[in-house]
């Protein structure tokens, strides 16, 4: 009898039968004397349970001694197999026809009681002529040439189906085999797992050495305990966590490269034995620790028992890896936030530049239209007012939408302080630590108006005293005069002006102007290029005369107001020594005078920002207004005084006469006058 259960690894061997195999083949309806008869006597080893080994590829060759007659039927391609009554009694439930060079399945009459049928190592191309064997529970068609699973719909009792090493391309026609316990399809050409979800009693499934690229569609295999998927092309695994009884999974020699592609295995509570050897993932340094940390229920990995020490080490390493992942994730989030913020700042910058451009364009249009379309009544018509209003409102709306998100970014990376957006300039008001501020040697400005940068340069000089390298990108550097503002810094060794958003670099001589105006810094590099002595000489030749002319034309009071306190004293010294004889001043003083004079010439080349210029204009207007009012008051007061003086001149002759008359009358009586004076003196005491 065939055992009702099958061991998961070693299997259970069929009984050894060492008997002679007697085949009688009748090729036509000839008398008994024409029957061809031959015997095959072989010693065969026992059936080693090939199916249930890990590769499920070893052969078994359990044989029985049968005396079999293959008689040709009316259709020559289907021989009829017949056994004697004694053989049927002796081997009533099994029949072995391996290595018989069969190309078709013979017709088996009178063997409805068969439970084991073996067609190993033949050339059969199609499963047929066994539909009457409805008690069959073990069917072995290993190593044939079958291309399609068929002819099994009536074998409802079948529990073991061995179809390894055939030419099957698709799993199909297993709908009625609901009692199937073992299904071996290794060594075929199957590309997809399908049509097995109804096999709820299946315990062992072997799909090794096929063409599978992924694992899924395993729902419904509630009894599956062993799944062999070795030697495929698998890159990811799904649905395995839905197999409640799966204990052994063999994934050796596939294309699995990351744990994420098999992460569903971590959710399996029943899995105890798994193999990944021969996959790219097994070559990674984190492989073993990651598997053990995520699959705590495992007892064996790659056919090796897992020790407690390995589990402990895996836990330690996994914690470190988790910390690294968290840190990496944090850095990724920061990088993404940085990217989005910079994009947002860039978008806002573009909108601002677009609006400025359109305002300038509209102003030009207005001026042009004012000249071309002046009416006799003096009224003017602006160009496209509706279009202008709609454009401005759209830009304003877009800017308001951006205001709810990050519109600036401040980043310190190594020795570089990067500022994006005008709002980032406010960071210079923070309380920076001495260590951080001292480390910063490079300051990068991006998407910030240069005029706004100029206003914070004094703070930059104080907050970051070691800053030596300035970078400008998208800062609207449009004229050489703007470089004058950098002279107020303490020191600049390198200057980088990105062509993007800085039209000033289109001027051929801009580098020479920078070298001339900032010569007191002894700059080393401009835009990454070393500054040579020839560059300094050329800069002096090009702009030295210009600076001298500019300083000569300025009034003395204006020149002194431009200079700093220390240089004011030096300048006054120069003015004082100007009238002395040449011999009085020694050569050293002459050199000092020349040097100070050169610095003074450069100092006259300054830069006033638009906002500062507007403030100055407002201040000048206020002063003019005040002066005008003050002068008006003085004129008014002087006018009144003059009028009073003229009136006095007219009245004075008469007043003088009256005064003289009063005096004469008072002193006419001398005694009375003296008494009156004494009385007045007495009253005053």
């Amino acid at each position: 009898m065939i055992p009702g259960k099958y061991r998961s690894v070693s299997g259970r061997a069929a009984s050894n039968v060492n008997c002679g195999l007697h085949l009688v083949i009748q090729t036509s309806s000839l008398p008994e004397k024409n029957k061809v008869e031959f015997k095959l006597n072989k010693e065969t080893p026992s059936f080693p349970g090939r199916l249930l080994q890990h590769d499920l590829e070893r052969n078994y060759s359990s044989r029985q001694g049968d005396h079999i007659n293959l008689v040709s039927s009316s259709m020559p391609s289907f021989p009829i197999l017949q056994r004697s009554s004694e053989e049927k009694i002796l081997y009533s439930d099994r029949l072995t026809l391996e290595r018989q060079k069969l190309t078709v399945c013979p017709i088996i009459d009178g063997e409805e009681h068969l439970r084991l049928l073996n067609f190993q190592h033949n050339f059969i191309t199609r499963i047929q002529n066994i539909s009457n064997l409805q008690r069959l529970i073990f069917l072995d068609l290993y190593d044939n040439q079958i291309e399609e699973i068929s002819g099994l719909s009536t074998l409802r009792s079948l529990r073991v189906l061995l179809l390894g090493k055939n030419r099957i391309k698709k799993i199909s026609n297993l709908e009625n085999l609901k009692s199937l316990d073992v299904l071996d399809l290794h060594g075929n050409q199957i590309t997809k797992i399908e049509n097995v979800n109804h096999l709820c009693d299946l315990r062992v499934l072997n799909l090794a050495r096929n063409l599978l690229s992924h694992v899924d569609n395993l729902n419904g295999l509630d009894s599956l305990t062993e799944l062999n998927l070795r030697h495929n092309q698998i890159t990811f695994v799904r649905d395995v966590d839905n197999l409640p009884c799966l204990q052994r999974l063999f994934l050796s020699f596939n294309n699995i490269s990351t744990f994420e592609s098999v992460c569903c295995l971590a959710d399996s509570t029943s899995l105890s034995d798994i193999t990944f050897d021969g996959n790219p993932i097994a070559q990674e340094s984190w492989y073993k620790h990651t598997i053990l940390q995520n699959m705590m229920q495992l007892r064996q990995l790659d056919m090796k028992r897992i020790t407690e020490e390995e589990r402990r080490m895996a836990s330690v390493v996994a914690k470190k890896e988790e910390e690294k992942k968290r840190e990496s994730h944090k850095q990724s989030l920061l990088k993404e936030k940085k990217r989005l913020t910079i994009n947002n700042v860039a978008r806002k910058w573009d909108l601002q530049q677009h609006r400025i451009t359109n305002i300038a364009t509209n102003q030009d249009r207005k001026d042009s239209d004012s000249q071309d379309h002046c009416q006799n009544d003096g009224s003017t018509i602006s160009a496209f007012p509706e279009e202008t209003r709609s454009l401005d409102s759209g830009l304003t709306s877009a800017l308001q939408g951006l205001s709810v998100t990050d519109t600036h970014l401040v980043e310190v990376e190594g020795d570089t302080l990067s500022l994006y957006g005008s709002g980032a300039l406010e960071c210079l008001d923070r309380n920076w630590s001495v260590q951080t501020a001292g480390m910063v040697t490079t300051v990068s400005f991006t998407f910030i108006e240069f005029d706004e940068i100029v206003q914070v340069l004094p703070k930059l000089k104080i907050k970051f005293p070691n800053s030596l390298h300035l970078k400008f990108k998208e800062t609207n550097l449009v004229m050489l005069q703007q470089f004058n503002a950098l002279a107020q810094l303490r020191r600049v060794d390198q200057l980088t002006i990105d062509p993007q958003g800085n039209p000033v670099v289109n001027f051929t001589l801009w580098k020479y102007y920078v070298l001339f105006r900032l010569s007191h810094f002894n700059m080393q590099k401009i835009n990454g290029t070393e500054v040579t002595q020839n560059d300094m000489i050329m800069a002096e030749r090009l702009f030295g005369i210009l600076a001298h002319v500019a300083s000569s034309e300025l009034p003395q009071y204006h020149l002194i107001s431009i200079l700093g306190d220390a240089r004011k004293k030096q300048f006054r010294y120069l003015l004082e020594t100007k009238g002395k004889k040449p011999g009085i001043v020694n050569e050293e003083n002459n050199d000092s005078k020349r040097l100070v004079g050169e610095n003074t010439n450069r100092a006259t080349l300054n830069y006033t920002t638009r906002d500062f210029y507007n403030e100055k204009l407002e201040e000048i207007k206020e002063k003019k207004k005040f002066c005008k009012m003050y002068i008006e008051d003085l004129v008014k007061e002087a006018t009144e005084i003059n009028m009073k003086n003229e009136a006095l001149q007219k009245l004075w002759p008469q007043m003088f006469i009256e005064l003289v008359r009063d005096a004469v009358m008072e002193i006419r009586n001398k005694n009375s006058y003296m008494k009156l004076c004494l009385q007045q003196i007495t009253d005053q005491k």
Side-chain angles (χ1 to χ4, degrees):
M1 298 293 293
I2 299 300
K5 294 183 179 180
Y6 311 96
R7 295 179 184 175
S8 61
V9 177
S10 61
R12 178 171 296 178
S15 302
N16 290 341
V17 182
N18 299 323
C19 304
L21 178 62
H22 189 193
L23 295 178
V24 179
I25 303 175
Q26 181 176 335
T27 59
S28 63
S29 55
L30 297 175
E32 188 68 20
K33 62 180 181 179
N34 293 327
K35 189 177 294 185
V36 180
E37 191 174 289
F38 62 94
K39 293 184 179 181
L40 293 174
N41 293 303
K42 291 186 179 179
E43 295 291 332
T44 60
S46 62
F47 175 43
R50 180 192 76 263
L51 162 68
L52 303 176
Q53 295 294 334
H54 297 296
D55 283 327
L56 295 176
E57 296 169 5
R58 289 189 297 176
N59 301 338
Y60 75 87
S61 55
S62 173
R63 301 174 183 273
Q64 62 191 34
D66 295 340
H67 186 95
I68 301 171
N69 292 333
L70 289 176
V71 183
S72 62
S73 64
S74 58
M75 297 179 62
S77 59
F78 295 112
I80 300 174
L81 184 141
Q82 295 180 349
R83 292 194 297 173
S84 64
S85 57
E86 293 82 3
E87 292 161 351
K88 289 182 180 180
I89 294 173
L90 186 59
Y91 310 111
S92 59
D93 58 355
R94 67 193 62 194
L95 177 61
T96 297
L97 293 173
E98 66 174 272
R99 301 185 189 277
Q100 297 298 313
K101 300 182 180 180
L102 296 174
T103 58
V104 295
C105 296
I107 297 174
I108 305 175
D109 284 336
E111 301 283 355
E112 288 75 9
H113 53 281
L114 279 180
R115 304 186 68 189
L116 184 152
L117 180 57
N118 180 6
F119 283 115
Q120 275 192 41
H121 305 293
N122 283 289
F123 303 100
I124 298 172
T125 59
R126 184 178 178 186
I127 306 173
Q128 53 190 347
N129 298 326
I130 59 172
S131 58
N132 58 320
L133 308 178
Q134 298 184 8
R135 296 185 181 181
L136 197 66
I137 64 172
F138 193 110
L139 177 58
D140 190 351
L141 286 160
Y142 173 76
D143 190 18
N144 279 278
Q145 299 179 9
I146 298 170
E147 297 182 355
E148 181 184 8
I149 303 174
S150 61
L152 304 174
S153 59
T154 60
L155 307 183
R156 299 179 182 275
S157 300
L158 195 65
R159 301 189 61 188
V160 179
L161 178 58
L162 310 182
L163 290 170
K165 202 175 179 182
N166 277 280
R167 301 177 182 177
I168 299 170
K169 297 181 180 179
K170 181 179 180 181
I171 304 175
S172 60
N173 299 319
L174 299 176
E175 291 77 11
N176 294 334
L177 306 184
K178 296 182 180 180
S179 299
L180 207 58
D181 187 72
V182 176
L183 177 59
D184 178 14
L185 292 168
H186 83 273
N188 283 283
Q189 302 170 22
I190 298 170
T191 59
K192 181 181 179 181
I193 301 176
E194 57 186 337
N195 301 321
V196 294
N197 307 95
H198 62 288
L199 303 177
C200 56
D201 292 332
L202 189 68
R203 289 190 309 110
V204 178
L205 176 59
N206 184 5
L207 290 169
R209 296 187 183 277
N210 276 281
L211 303 176
L212 299 174
S213 60
H214 56 275
V215 178
D216 57 4
N217 198 23
L218 295 173
N219 296 323
L221 301 180
D222 297 337
S223 301
L224 194 67
T225 60
E226 181 174 315
L227 178 59
N228 189 346
L229 298 169
R230 293 184 178 186
H231 293 281
N232 277 279
Q233 303 167 12
I234 297 170
T235 56
F236 67 89
V237 176
R238 284 199 298 255
D239 293 346
V240 174
D241 52 318
N242 296 327
L243 303 177
C245 297
L246 186 65
Q247 298 176 13
R248 292 170 295 279
L249 176 61
F250 306 110
L251 288 165
S252 305
F253 301 100
N254 280 284
N255 293 329
I256 298 170
S257 57
T258 64
F259 181 76
E260 286 71 20
S261 60
V262 293
C263 60
C264 65
L265 301 178
D267 299 326
S268 175
T269 57
S270 59
L271 199 59
S272 62
D273 190 352
I274 193 168
T275 64
F276 285 109
D277 54 302
N279 283 276
I281 190 176
Q283 306 300 320
E284 301 290 346
S285 57
W286 46 261
Y287 159 64
K288 191 169 186 179
H289 301 126
T290 302
I291 295 297
L292 295 183
Q293 178 63 22
N294 288 277
M295 304 176 68
M296 300 295 293
Q297 76 280 12
L298 285 184
R299 292 199 299 268
Q300 284 194 150
L301 176 61
D302 296 333
M303 307 305 294
K304 295 179 182 179
R305 178 166 287 281
I306 301 168
T307 64
E308 289 302 321
E309 178 64 17
E310 288 176 328
R311 292 186 189 277
R312 188 186 67 79
M313 289 298 298
S315 179
V316 172
V317 173
K319 287 180 181 178
K320 293 181 180 179
E321 291 291 335
E322 187 63 26
E323 290 177 0
K324 288 182 181 179
K325 284 184 179 179
R326 281 199 296 266
E327 184 63 25
S328 176
H329 182 64
K330 180 180 177 181
Q331 293 300 322
S332 298
L333 289 178
L334 290 175
K335 287 182 179 179
E336 182 63 15
K337 183 178 179 181
K338 173 185 174 181
R339 186 186 67 81
L340 293 175
T341 302
I342 292 175
N343 287 343
N344 190 39
V345 174
R347 197 181 307 115
K348 183 178 179 181
W349 171 265
D350 290 340
L351 287 172
Q352 289 175 338
Q353 300 310 306
H354 188 203
R355 181 172 62 177
I356 292 170
T357 303
N358 278 277
I359 289 174
T361 304
N362 291 335
Q363 186 62 41
D364 292 342
R365 287 178 180 174
K366 287 181 180 179
D367 294 342
S368 176
D369 290 343
S370 297
Q371 295 174 3
D372 296 342
H373 301 287
C374 283
Q375 305 298 321
N376 291 331
D377 59 358
S379 62
T380 59
I381 304 173
S382 62
F384 310 105
E386 294 181 1
E387 183 178 339
T388 303
R389 284 199 297 271
S390 63
L391 179 61
D392 289 344
S393 63
L395 291 169
T396 303
S397 176
L399 288 173
Q400 289 176 350
L402 288 173
S403 65
V404 299
T405 59
D406 293 336
T407 56
H408 67 273
L409 175 66
V410 180
E411 181 185 33
V412 177
E413 187 174 0
D415 62 350
T416 301
L417 171 65
S418 299
L419 306 177
Y420 299 87
S422 58
L425 298 176
E426 298 175 1
C427 76
L428 298 176
D429 295 326
R430 296 181 188 173
N431 294 323
W432 293 87
S433 67
V434 177
Q435 182 180 3
T436 302
M439 281 193 325
V440 173
T441 60
T442 301
V443 182
S444 174
F445 301 94
T446 309
F447 302 120
I448 308 174
E449 285 284 349
F450 185 80
D451 286 359
E452 296 182 29
I453 298 172
V454 171
Q455 298 174 17
V456 299
L457 289 179
K459 296 180 183 177
L460 181 67
K461 179 172 63 175
I462 296 171
K463 291 285 186 178
F464 302 97
N466 297 328
S467 58
L468 304 174
H469 186 186
L470 298 182
K471 295 181 177 181
F472 298 92
K473 180 179 180 180
E474 292 283 5
T475 55
N476 267 347
L477 269 165
V478 296
M479 53 186 174
L480 297 178
Q481 188 182 4
Q482 290 174 296
F483 290 115
N484 299 339
L486 301 179
Q488 60 184 299
L489 293 173
R490 181 171 301 168
R491 182 180 174 188
V492 178
D493 283 354
Q494 294 187 52
L495 186 65
T496 301
I497 311 296
D498 195 295
Q500 187 174 347
N502 295 308
V504 72
V505 300
N506 295 324
F507 299 156
T508 306
L509 303 178
W510 76 272
K511 291 184 182 179
Y512 294 111
Y513 183 81
V514 170
L515 291 175
F516 171 77
R517 184 61 187 87
L518 306 179
S519 61
H520 57 290
F521 290 147
N522 293 321
M523 210 171 297
Q524 304 299 315
K525 289 183 178 181
I526 296 181
N527 278 11
T529 304
E530 293 282 349
V531 176
T532 65
Q533 188 64 30
N534 291 335
D535 293 333
M536 299 297 297
I537 295 172
M538 179 62 72
E540 184 66 31
R541 288 179 179 174
L542 289 171
F543 298 102
I545 304 243
L546 175 64
H548 176 72
V549 171
S551 62
S552 302
E553 294 297 324
L554 282 177
Q556 181 179 337
Y557 76 91
H558 194 183
L559 186 60
I560 292 176
S561 68
I562 291 174
L563 302 176
D565 292 336
R567 304 236 298 276
K568 283 178 185 178
K569 295 179 181 178
Q570 295 173 337
F571 181 71
R572 286 198 177 100
Y573 166 77
L574 289 173
L575 294 179
E576 290 171 1
T577 58
K578 208 170 189 180
K580 295 183 179 180
K581 294 181 180 180
I584 297 176
V585 183
N586 59 28
E587 186 178 351
E588 182 179 353
N589 286 338
N590 282 333
D591 293 339
S592 175
K593 177 182 176 181
R594 179 178 56 79
L595 180 60
V596 174
E598 288 176 353
N599 289 337
T600 303
N601 290 340
R602 289 172 172 80
T604 59
L605 301 173
N606 60 354
Y607 175 64
T608 303
T609 64
R610 287 192 296 269
D611 293 339
F612 184 75
Y613 179 72
N614 292 334
E615 290 177 3
K616 283 292 182 182
L617 285 179
E618 291 296 327
E619 185 179 346
I620 292 171
K621 287 180 181 178
E622 291 293 329
K623 287 182 179 180
K624 285 183 177 180
K625 183 178 180 182
F626 173 78
C627 291
K628 182 179 180 181
M629 293 176 62
Y630 181 71
I631 292 173
E632 286 177 353
D633 291 341
L634 288 177
V635 170
K636 183 178 179 181
E637 185 178 353
T639 302
E640 290 177 354
I641 292 173
N642 185 57
M643 292 174 63
K644 289 178 180 179
N645 184 42
E646 290 178 354
L648 180 62
Q649 292 296 329
K650 292 178 180 180
L651 295 174
W652 176 248
Q654 184 63 31
M655 291 174 62
F656 182 76
I657 294 172
E658 291 178 357
L659 288 173
V660 172
R661 188 190 61 185
D662 291 343
V664 170
M665 291 180 66
E666 286 179 354
I667 64 174
R668 184 174 54 179
N669 189 345
K670 186 176 181 180
N671 292 328
S672 299
Y673 179 73
M674 292 178 64
K675 287 181 181 179
L676 179 62
C677 289
L678 289 172
Q679 184 63 38
Q680 290 177 351
I681 293 172
T682 303
D683 293 342
Q684 289 178 358
K685 291 181 178 179

